Amino acid sequence: MRKLIDQISMQQSRIVDLEVKGLQRRMDKIQTPVAAVVIMACNRADYLERTIKSILKYQNAVASKYPLFVSQDGSDPQVREKALSYDQLTHMQHLDSKPVQTERPGELIAYYKIARHYKWALDKLFHEYKFSRVIILEDDMEIAPDFFDYFEAAAALMEKDKTIMAVSSWNDNGQKQFVHDPEILYRSDFFPGLGWMLTKSTWNELSPKWPKAYWDDWLRLQENHKGRQFIRPEVCRTYNFGEHVDWKSKDLSYLMEDEYIKHFAEILKNAKPINGADAVLKASNVQGDVRVHYKDQPDFERIARQFGVFQEWKDGVPRTAYKGVVVFRYPPPRRVFLVGPKSFELLGIKSV
């Protein structure tokens, strides 16, 4: 009997050992995720379906690197049903534990609900699921074919350069008449949003003081970004434009802070200066890149209006700007630089 027990014990030990080894082999095949991808949804089931399909078209091949989530705010049954109909994603549902109230009369409650939902979802993904990075998408976006390669390359850059606060797939001046080169990336002092990635360490800093509303404008305040910058592409990666850049083969070291300021200063110096009056006409008649200097915010708005690009400022920073410089193509491939009164000084450029 004792011999039989010993034989059974040895067999069980071998079985357990084989199971452990088999499990280990499976674990070895699992890649560490680059980032979780979360679609923020509320009550637009048709939009959500279109976004999910766009993501799955390119995510299936890299699913282990980019686990997909839908975070639903509220109880819309069609949104919940649509999300749960996909086995390839995890559905999360945020329900307000108490009524949401605005702080000032006439404000839209939606801004408060959105901010609360973002905080809940990011807390859950970073603290409960323990992801090191999260990519946030809204439920009305489609992604480009190289979307995931772009963010993988950007993740490596963020690890090396802690002055990068977040990486966005969006260019506010990314309309087709203002862009040309899908391989060009820029640093910006203005948070772009709309398909963006941040790290757990950054979220740990932001979460305790997250605002009750208007979270994107809040993130654009100097007191919150603290001089850190954002990476953005020239050509957006959150709509289907047909380009596919091999980001793994691209050297992005020029985006490191110390390198980028020299790189950007050099291309700015080489641009031909033109006067702000009738800037559009003058830019069209000059060969190569041009720069237009503006004196202050009203002057910038006047010049930007001529070209048709964003005129908005936030906390002293024009939308998309780096060191006060806004760059776009007009007409492509010519680059136009709108240069602030302190831009040369910030970039270490002597008057040229």
Side-chain angles (χ1 to χ4, degrees):
M1 179 62 71
R2 167 55 84 185
K3 190 175 180 180
L4 180 61
I5 291 172
D6 288 344
Q7 287 176 342
I8 292 171
S9 177
M10 288 178 65
Q11 288 173 349
Q12 289 176 335
S13 178
R14 290 194 191 101
I15 290 169
V16 170
D17 189 46
L18 286 170
E19 288 176 344
V20 169
K21 288 179 179 176
L23 176 61
Q24 186 62 52
R25 281 195 297 271
R26 291 196 297 274
M27 290 293 288
D28 289 342
K29 292 179 181 178
I30 297 174
Q31 294 173 296
T32 301
V34 174
V37 179
V38 60
I39 306 168
M40 308 299 285
C42 182
N43 57 7
R44 303 186 293 187
D46 53 342
Y47 281 38
L48 177 61
E49 181 175 30
R50 182 173 173 178
T51 298
I52 291 173
K53 286 182 176 179
S54 168
I55 293 169
L56 291 180
K57 184 176 180 182
Y58 306 110
Q59 185 258 4
N60 279 336
V62 291
S64 62
K65 290 184 179 182
Y66 297 95
L68 181 59
F69 294 77
V70 168
S71 184
Q72 178 185 354
D73 188 31
S75 55
D76 186 290
Q78 291 181 315
V79 168
R80 177 180 171 82
E81 181 182 355
K82 185 61 63 181
L84 291 173
S85 69
Y86 289 91
D87 295 333
Q88 303 98 316
L89 59 82
T90 301
H91 173 257
M92 311 189 303
Q93 189 167 13
H94 171 245
L95 299 172
D96 289 314
S97 57
K98 57 183 179 180
V100 180
Q101 296 181 334
T102 62
E103 293 186 341
R104 291 171 289 274
E107 285 186 301
L108 289 175
I109 199 170
Y111 292 116
Y112 288 80
K113 290 180 70 67
I114 291 169
R116 185 181 287 191
H117 179 207
Y118 267 68
K119 179 171 174 20
W120 176 87
L122 290 172
D123 276 344
K124 195 171 183 70
L125 290 166
F126 280 121
H127 299 151
E128 186 176 321
Y129 285 98
K130 301 189 183 305
F131 288 107
S132 57
R133 303 178 200 88
V134 174
I135 298 170
I136 302 103
L137 290 165
E138 295 176 15
D139 64 356
D140 56 358
M141 294 179 174
E142 294 183 351
I143 66 171
D146 63 353
F147 178 88
F148 292 110
D149 286 345
Y150 168 73
F151 275 109
E152 185 165 0
L157 195 65
M158 293 177 83
E159 287 299 310
K160 298 174 187 174
D161 188 347
K162 301 305 180 184
T163 67
I164 299 171
M165 189 172 192
V167 175
S168 175
S169 58
W170 183 255
N171 173 12
D172 285 303
N173 290 321
Q175 298 88 345
K176 63 181 180 180
Q177 68 268 32
F178 299 131
V179 300
H180 172 70
D181 192 340
E183 297 184 7
I184 295 292
L185 305 180
Y186 292 95
R187 291 179 76 110
S188 174
D189 297 305
F190 193 100
F191 170 63
L194 295 175
W196 57 289
M197 178 172 69
L198 80 165
T199 63
K200 186 175 183 177
S201 60
T202 299
W203 180 247
N204 287 342
E205 172 194 334
L206 298 176
S207 179
K209 57 180 183 177
W210 193 250
K212 294 180 179 179
Y214 313 109
W215 67 267
D216 47 352
D217 281 342
W218 175 84
L219 203 51
R220 291 168 182 140
L221 298 177
Q222 167 68 27
E223 64 189 73
N224 297 315
H225 64 70
K226 298 178 180 176
R228 288 167 293 185
Q229 288 152 349
F230 308 92
I231 299 296
R232 65 155 181 97
E234 177 170 317
V235 177
C236 294
R237 260 56 192 191
T238 38
Y239 65 85
N240 285 322
F241 59 89
E243 297 283 357
H244 191 159
V245 174
D246 180 11
W247 289 107
K248 294 176 183 177
S249 69
K250 298 300 175 186
D251 180 5
L252 302 184
S253 60
Y254 73 94
L255 290 164
M256 300 286 285
E257 184 182 32
D258 292 343
E259 290 299 318
Y260 189 76
I261 196 166
K262 292 183 287 187
H263 161 80
F264 194 80
E266 191 62 29
I267 59 174
L268 183 59
K269 281 193 298 184
N270 291 333
K272 298 179 179 68
I274 60 173
N275 189 282
D278 299 319
V280 174
L281 179 61
K282 291 175 181 176
S284 300
N285 292 324
V286 174
Q287 293 293 319
D289 296 343
V290 299
R291 51 184 162 89
V292 185
H293 292 257
Y294 63 88
K295 301 172 185 175
D296 49 29
Q297 183 171 346
D299 195 33
F300 171 86
E301 291 172 352
R302 179 184 62 80
I303 298 168
R305 194 179 304 118
Q306 290 182 46
F307 285 100
V309 297
F310 266 101
Q311 303 163 39
E312 181 189 359
W313 285 43
K314 192 68 181 180
D315 204 19
V317 180
R319 190 177 278 270
T320 78
Y322 173 70
K323 306 296 184 185
V325 181
V326 170
V327 57
F328 54 92
R329 308 271 181 169
Y330 192 95
R334 178 190 296 111
R335 277 181 292 205
V336 176
F337 299 89
L338 305 187
V339 184
K342 294 184 178 179
S343 296
F344 272 24
E345 179 185 345
L346 293 170
L347 289 163
I349 302 175
K350 295 179 181 179
S351 296
V352 291

